[in-house]
Coordinates of all heavy atoms in Angstrom, one line a residue:
M1 N 0.8 -1.2 0.0 CA 0.0 0.0 0.0 C 0.9 1.2 0.0 O 1.8 1.3 0.8 CB -0.9 0.0 1.3 CG -1.9 1.1 1.3 SD -2.9 1.2 2.8 CE -3.7 -0.4 2.8
S2 N 0.6 2.1 -0.9 CA 1.4 3.4 -1.0 C 1.0 4.3 0.1 O 0.0 4.2 0.7 CB 1.3 4.0 -2.4 OG 0.0 4.5 -2.5
N3 N 1.7 5.4 0.2 CA 1.4 6.4 1.2 C 0.1 7.1 0.9 O -0.7 7.4 1.8 CB 2.5 7.5 1.3 CG 3.7 7.0 2.0 OD1 3.7 6.0 2.7 ND2 4.9 7.6 1.8
E4 N -0.2 7.3 -0.4 CA -1.4 8.0 -0.8 C -2.6 7.1 -0.4 O -3.6 7.5 0.1 CB -1.4 8.3 -2.3 CG -0.4 9.4 -2.6 CD -0.3 9.5 -4.1 OE1 -0.9 8.7 -4.9 OE2 0.5 10.4 -4.5
E5 N -2.5 5.8 -0.7 CA -3.6 4.9 -0.4 C -3.8 4.8 1.1 O -5.0 4.8 1.6 CB -3.3 3.5 -0.9 CG -3.4 3.4 -2.4 CD -2.9 2.0 -2.9 OE1 -2.1 1.4 -2.1 OE2 -3.2 1.7 -4.0
G6 N -2.8 4.8 1.9 CA -2.9 4.7 3.4 C -3.5 6.0 3.9 O -4.4 5.9 4.8
F7 N -3.2 7.1 3.3 CA -3.8 8.4 3.7 C -5.3 8.4 3.4 O -6.1 8.8 4.3 CB -3.1 9.6 3.0 CG -3.6 10.9 3.5 CD1 -3.3 11.3 4.8 CD2 -4.3 11.7 2.7 CE1 -3.8 12.5 5.3 CE2 -4.8 12.9 3.1 CZ -4.5 13.4 4.4
I8 N -5.7 7.9 2.3 CA -7.1 7.8 1.9 C -7.9 6.9 2.9 O -9.0 7.2 3.3 CB -7.3 7.4 0.4 CG1 -6.7 8.5 -0.5 CG2 -8.7 7.0 0.1 CD1 -6.7 8.1 -2.0
V9 N -7.3 5.8 3.2 CA -7.9 4.9 4.1 C -8.1 5.5 5.5 O -9.1 5.4 6.2 CB -7.1 3.5 4.3 CG1 -7.6 2.7 5.4 CG2 -7.2 2.8 3.0
F10 N -7.0 6.3 5.9 CA -7.1 7.0 7.2 C -8.2 8.0 7.2 O -8.9 8.1 8.2 CB -5.7 7.6 7.5 CG -5.7 8.5 8.7 CD1 -5.7 8.0 10.0 CD2 -5.7 9.9 8.6 CE1 -5.7 8.8 11.1 CE2 -5.8 10.7 9.7 CZ -5.7 10.2 10.9
L11 N -8.3 8.8 6.1 CA -9.4 9.8 6.0 C -10.7 9.2 6.1 O -11.7 9.7 6.7 CB -9.2 10.6 4.8 CG -8.1 11.7 4.8 CD1 -8.1 12.5 3.4 CD2 -8.3 12.7 5.9
G12 N -10.9 8.1 5.4 CA -12.2 7.3 5.4 C -12.5 6.9 6.7 O -13.7 7.0 7.2
A13 N -11.6 6.3 7.5 CA -11.8 5.8 8.8 C -12.2 6.9 9.7 O -13.1 6.8 10.6 CB -10.6 5.0 9.3
A14 N -11.5 8.1 9.6 CA -11.8 9.2 10.5 C -13.1 9.8 10.2 O -13.9 10.1 11.1 CB -10.7 10.3 10.2
F15 N -13.6 9.8 8.9 CA -14.9 10.2 8.6 C -15.9 9.3 9.1 O -16.9 9.8 9.7 CB -15.0 10.3 7.0 CG -16.3 10.7 6.5 CD1 -16.7 12.1 6.6 CD2 -17.2 9.8 6.0 CE1 -18.0 12.4 6.2 CE2 -18.5 10.2 5.6 CZ -18.9 11.5 5.7
L16 N -15.8 8.0 9.1 CA -16.7 7.1 9.6 C -16.8 7.2 11.1 O -18.0 7.1 11.7 CB -16.4 5.7 9.2 CG -16.6 5.3 7.7 CD1 -16.1 3.9 7.4 CD2 -18.0 5.4 7.3
I17 N -15.7 7.3 11.8 CA -15.7 7.4 13.2 C -16.4 8.7 13.6 O -17.2 8.7 14.6 CB -14.3 7.3 13.8 CG1 -13.8 5.9 13.6 CG2 -14.2 7.7 15.3 CD1 -12.3 5.7 13.9
G18 N -16.1 9.8 12.9 CA -16.7 11.1 13.2 C -18.3 11.0 13.1 O -19.0 11.5 13.9
N19 N -18.7 10.4 12.0 CA -20.2 10.2 11.8 C -20.8 9.4 12.9 O -21.9 9.7 13.4 CB -20.5 9.6 10.5 CG -20.4 10.6 9.3 OD1 -20.4 11.8 9.6 ND2 -20.3 10.2 8.1
W20 N -20.1 8.3 13.3 CA -20.7 7.4 14.3 C -20.7 8.1 15.6 O -21.7 8.0 16.4 CB -19.8 6.1 14.4 CG -20.3 5.1 15.3 CD1 -21.3 4.2 14.9 CD2 -20.0 4.8 16.6 NE1 -21.6 3.4 16.0 CE2 -20.8 3.8 17.1 CE3 -19.1 5.4 17.6 CZ2 -20.7 3.2 18.4 CZ3 -19.1 4.9 18.9 CH2 -19.9 3.8 19.2
L21 N -19.7 8.9 16.0 CA -19.8 9.7 17.2 C -20.9 10.7 17.3 O -21.5 11.0 18.3 CB -18.4 10.3 17.5 CG -17.3 9.3 18.0 CD1 -16.0 10.1 18.1 CD2 -17.7 8.7 19.3
E22 N -21.2 11.3 16.1 CA -22.3 12.3 16.1 C -23.6 11.6 16.3 O -24.5 12.2 16.9 CB -22.3 13.0 14.7 CG -21.2 14.1 14.5 CD -21.4 14.8 13.2 OE1 -22.3 14.4 12.4 OE2 -20.5 15.7 13.0
E23 N -23.7 10.4 15.8 CA -25.0 9.6 16.0 C -25.1 9.1 17.4 O -26.2 8.8 17.9 CB -25.1 8.5 15.0 CG -25.2 9.0 13.6 CD -25.1 7.9 12.6 OE1 -25.1 6.7 13.0 OE2 -25.1 8.1 11.4
H24 N -24.0 8.9 18.1 CA -24.0 8.3 19.5 C -23.3 9.3 20.5 O -22.2 9.0 20.8 CB -23.3 7.0 19.5 CG -23.9 6.0 18.6 ND1 -23.6 5.9 17.2 CD2 -24.9 5.0 18.7 CE1 -24.3 4.9 16.6 NE2 -25.1 4.4 17.6
P25 N -24.0 10.4 20.9 CA -23.3 11.4 21.7 C -22.9 10.9 23.1 O -22.0 11.4 23.7 CB -24.3 12.5 21.8 CG -25.6 11.9 21.5 CD -25.3 10.8 20.5
G26 N -23.6 9.8 23.6 CA -23.3 9.2 24.9 C -21.9 8.7 24.9 O -21.2 8.7 26.0
V27 N -21.4 8.2 23.8 CA -20.0 7.6 23.8 C -19.0 8.7 24.1 O -18.1 8.5 24.8 CB -19.8 7.0 22.4 CG1 -18.3 6.5 22.3 CG2 -20.7 5.8 22.2
L28 N -19.2 9.9 23.4 CA -18.3 11.0 23.6 C -18.3 11.5 25.1 O -17.3 11.8 25.7 CB -18.6 12.1 22.7 CG -17.5 13.0 22.2 CD1 -16.4 12.2 21.6 CD2 -18.0 14.0 21.2
D29 N -19.5 11.5 25.7 CA -19.6 11.9 27.1 C -18.9 10.9 28.0 O -18.3 11.2 29.0 CB -21.1 11.9 27.5 CG -21.8 13.1 26.8 OD1 -21.2 14.0 26.4 OD2 -23.1 13.0 26.7
A30 N -19.0 9.6 27.6 CA -18.3 8.6 28.4 C -16.8 8.7 28.3 O -16.1 8.6 29.3 CB -18.7 7.2 28.0
I31 N -16.3 9.1 27.1 CA -14.9 9.3 26.9 C -14.4 10.4 27.8 O -13.3 10.4 28.4 CB -14.5 9.5 25.4 CG1 -14.8 8.2 24.7 CG2 -13.1 10.0 25.2 CD1 -14.7 8.3 23.1
Y32 N -15.2 11.5 27.8 CA -14.8 12.7 28.6 C -14.8 12.4 30.1 O -14.0 12.8 30.8 CB -15.7 13.9 28.3 CG -15.4 14.6 27.0 CD1 -16.3 14.9 26.1 CD2 -14.1 14.9 26.6 CE1 -16.0 15.4 24.8 CE2 -13.7 15.5 25.5 CZ -14.7 15.8 24.6 OH -14.4 16.4 23.4
F33 N -15.8 11.6 30.5 CA -15.9 11.2 31.9 C -14.7 10.4 32.3 O -14.1 10.6 33.4 CB -17.2 10.3 32.2 CG -17.3 9.9 33.6 CD1 -17.8 10.7 34.5 CD2 -16.9 8.6 33.9 CE1 -18.0 10.3 35.8 CE2 -17.0 8.2 35.2 CZ -17.5 9.0 36.2
I34 N -14.3 9.4 31.5 CA -13.1 8.6 31.8 C -11.8 9.5 31.8 O -11.0 9.3 32.7 CB -12.9 7.5 30.7 CG1 -14.0 6.5 30.9 CG2 -11.6 6.8 30.8 CD1 -14.1 5.4 29.8
K35 N -11.7 10.4 30.9 CA -10.6 11.3 30.9 C -10.5 12.2 32.1 O -9.5 12.4 32.7 CB -10.6 12.2 29.7 CG -9.5 13.2 29.5 CD -9.6 14.0 28.3 CE -10.7 15.1 28.4 NZ -10.3 16.3 29.0
D36 N -11.7 12.7 32.6 CA -11.7 13.6 33.7 C -11.5 12.8 35.0 O -11.0 13.4 36.0 CB -13.0 14.3 33.8 CG -13.2 15.3 32.7 OD1 -12.2 15.7 32.0 OD2 -14.3 15.7 32.4
H37 N -11.9 11.5 35.1 CA -11.8 10.8 36.3 C -10.8 9.6 36.2 O -11.0 8.5 36.8 CB -13.2 10.2 36.7 CG -14.2 11.3 37.0 ND1 -14.9 11.8 36.0 CD2 -14.5 11.9 38.1 CE1 -15.7 12.7 36.4 NE2 -15.5 12.8 37.7
F38 N -9.7 9.8 35.4 CA -8.8 8.7 35.1 C -8.1 8.1 36.4 O -8.1 6.9 36.6 CB -7.7 9.2 34.1 CG -6.8 8.1 33.7 CD1 -7.1 7.1 32.9 CD2 -5.4 8.2 34.2 CE1 -6.2 6.1 32.6 CE2 -4.5 7.2 33.8 CZ -4.9 6.2 33.0
L39 N -7.7 9.0 37.3 CA -6.9 8.5 38.4 C -7.9 7.8 39.4 O -7.5 6.8 40.0 CB -6.3 9.7 39.2 CG -5.1 10.3 38.5 CD1 -4.5 11.5 39.3 CD2 -4.0 9.3 38.3
L40 N -9.1 8.3 39.5 CA -10.1 7.5 40.3 C -10.4 6.1 39.8 O -10.4 5.2 40.5 CB -11.4 8.4 40.5 CG -12.5 7.7 41.3 CD1 -12.1 7.6 42.7 CD2 -13.8 8.6 41.1
I41 N -10.6 6.1 38.5 CA -10.8 4.7 37.8 C -9.6 3.9 38.0 O -9.7 2.7 38.3 CB -11.2 5.0 36.4 CG1 -12.6 5.7 36.3 CG2 -11.3 3.6 35.6 CD1 -12.9 6.2 34.9
L42 N -8.4 4.4 37.8 CA -7.2 3.6 37.9 C -7.1 3.1 39.4 O -6.7 1.9 39.5 CB -6.0 4.5 37.6 CG -4.7 3.8 37.3 CD1 -4.8 2.9 36.1 CD2 -3.6 4.8 37.1
A43 N -7.4 3.9 40.3 CA -7.3 3.5 41.7 C -8.3 2.3 42.0 O -7.9 1.3 42.7 CB -7.5 4.6 42.7
C44 N -9.5 2.4 41.5 CA -10.5 1.4 41.7 C -10.1 0.1 41.0 O -10.2 -1.0 41.6 CB -11.8 1.8 41.1 SG -12.6 3.1 42.1
V45 N -9.5 0.2 39.8 CA -9.0 -1.0 39.2 C -7.9 -1.7 40.0 O -7.8 -2.9 40.1 CB -8.6 -0.7 37.7 CG1 -7.9 -1.8 37.1 CG2 -9.8 -0.3 36.9
G46 N -7.0 -0.8 40.4 CA -5.9 -1.3 41.3 C -6.4 -2.0 42.5 O -5.9 -3.1 42.9
L47 N -7.4 -1.5 43.2 CA -7.9 -2.1 44.4 C -8.6 -3.5 44.0 O -8.4 -4.4 44.8 CB -8.9 -1.2 45.1 CG -8.4 -0.1 45.8 CD1 -9.5 0.9 46.3 CD2 -7.5 -0.5 47.0
V48 N -9.3 -3.5 42.9 CA -9.9 -4.8 42.5 C -8.8 -5.8 42.2 O -8.9 -7.0 42.6 CB -10.8 -4.6 41.3 CG1 -11.2 -5.9 40.7 CG2 -12.0 -3.7 41.7
V49 N -7.8 -5.4 41.5 CA -6.7 -6.4 41.2 C -6.0 -6.9 42.5 O -5.7 -8.1 42.6 CB -5.7 -5.8 40.2 CG1 -4.4 -6.6 40.1 CG2 -6.3 -5.5 38.9
I50 N -5.7 -6.0 43.4 CA -5.1 -6.4 44.7 C -6.0 -7.4 45.4 O -5.6 -8.3 46.0 CB -4.8 -5.1 45.5 CG1 -3.6 -4.4 44.9 CG2 -4.4 -5.5 47.0 CD1 -3.4 -3.0 45.5
G51 N -7.4 -7.1 45.4 CA -8.3 -7.9 46.1 C -8.3 -9.3 45.5 O -8.4 -10.4 46.2
I52 N -8.3 -9.4 44.1 CA -8.3 -10.7 43.5 C -7.1 -11.4 43.8 O -7.1 -12.7 44.0 CB -8.5 -10.5 42.0 CG1 -9.9 -10.0 41.6 CG2 -8.2 -11.7 41.2 CD1 -10.1 -9.6 40.2
M53 N -5.9 -10.8 43.8 CA -4.6 -11.5 44.1 C -4.7 -12.0 45.5 O -4.2 -13.1 45.8 CB -3.5 -10.5 43.9 CG -3.3 -10.0 42.5 SD -2.6 -11.2 41.4 CE -1.0 -11.3 41.9
Y54 N -5.2 -11.2 46.5 CA -5.3 -11.6 47.9 C -6.1 -12.9 48.0 O -5.8 -13.8 48.7 CB -5.8 -10.4 48.7 CG -6.1 -10.8 50.2 CD1 -5.0 -10.9 51.0 CD2 -7.3 -11.1 50.6 CE1 -5.1 -11.2 52.4 CE2 -7.5 -11.4 52.0 CZ -6.4 -11.5 52.8 OH -6.6 -11.8 54.1
I55 N -7.3 -12.8 47.4 CA -8.2 -14.0 47.5 C -7.6 -15.2 46.8 O -7.7 -16.3 47.4 CB -9.6 -13.6 46.8 CG1 -10.3 -12.6 47.7 CG2 -10.5 -14.9 46.7 CD1 -11.6 -12.0 47.0
K56 N -6.9 -15.0 45.7 CA -6.3 -16.1 45.0 C -5.2 -16.8 45.9 O -5.1 -18.0 45.9 CB -5.7 -15.6 43.7 CG -5.1 -16.7 42.9 CD -4.6 -16.1 41.5 CE -3.6 -17.0 41.0 NZ -2.6 -16.4 40.1
N57 N -4.4 -15.9 46.5 CA -3.4 -16.4 47.4 C -4.0 -17.2 48.6 O -3.4 -18.2 49.1 CB -2.5 -15.3 47.9 CG -1.5 -14.9 46.8 OD1 -1.3 -15.6 45.8 ND2 -1.1 -13.6 46.9
R58 N -5.1 -16.7 49.1 CA -5.7 -17.3 50.3 C -6.3 -18.7 49.9 O -6.1 -19.7 50.6 CB -6.9 -16.5 50.8 CG -6.5 -15.2 51.4 CD -6.0 -15.3 52.8 NE -7.1 -15.8 53.6 CZ -7.0 -15.8 54.9 NH1 -6.0 -15.4 55.6 NH2 -8.0 -16.3 55.6
I59 N -6.8 -18.8 48.7 CA -7.4 -20.1 48.2 C -6.2 -21.1 48.0 O -6.4 -22.3 48.3 CB -8.2 -19.9 46.9 CG1 -9.5 -19.1 47.2 CG2 -8.5 -21.2 46.2 CD1 -10.2 -18.7 46.0
E60 N -5.1 -20.6 47.4 CA -4.0 -21.5 47.2 C -3.4 -22.1 48.5 O -2.8 -23.2 48.4 CB -2.9 -20.8 46.3 CG -3.3 -20.6 44.9 CD -2.3 -19.8 44.1 OE1 -1.3 -19.4 44.7 OE2 -2.5 -19.6 42.9
R61 N -3.5 -21.3 49.5 CA -2.9 -21.8 50.8 C -3.6 -23.0 51.4 O -3.1 -23.8 52.1 CB -2.9 -20.7 51.8 CG -1.7 -19.8 51.7 CD -1.5 -18.9 52.9 NE -1.0 -17.7 52.5 CZ -1.1 -16.5 53.1 NH1 -2.0 -16.4 54.1 NH2 -0.5 -15.4 52.6
Y62 N -4.9 -23.0 51.1 CA -5.8 -24.1 51.7 C -6.1 -25.2 50.8 O -5.8 -25.3 49.7 CB -7.1 -23.5 52.3 CG -6.9 -22.6 53.4 CD1 -7.1 -21.2 53.2 CD2 -6.4 -23.0 54.6 CE1 -6.9 -20.3 54.3 CE2 -6.2 -22.1 55.6 CZ -6.5 -20.8 55.5 OH -6.3 -19.9 56.5

């Protein structure tokens, strides 16, 4: 694929994604929510992973 073909494919994909986001505004709101609360979400995911590891280790001991 030449550079020109790749650029055309990129423009087409960007156009389709833009149209899809206009039709589904809730997706864009969710993206902004995740961006604004990234550290809180990361902390919650970390706590869940730590909890799963703790429970897994407890089960392996018995």
Side-chain angles (χ1 to χ4, degrees):
M1 184 184 304
S2 69
N3 286 342
E4 293 171 357
E5 290 171 338
F7 184 68
I8 292 171
V9 169
F10 173 76
L11 283 181
F15 178 74
L16 289 175
I17 291 170
N19 280 344
W20 189 81
L21 285 175
E22 282 183 2
E23 295 172 6
H24 302 86
V27 174
L28 210 53
D29 293 339
I31 291 171
Y32 285 131
F33 178 83
I34 291 170
K35 182 180 70 85
D36 293 341
H37 299 89
F38 180 72
L39 288 178
L40 178 65
I41 294 169
L42 194 64
C44 290
V45 169
L47 286 174
V48 168
V49 168
I50 290 171
I52 290 172
M53 297 288 287
Y54 176 76
I55 292 170
K56 184 179 161 206
N57 287 337
R58 294 279 296 189
I59 290 172
E60 287 177 356
R61 277 193 210 151
Y62 295 112

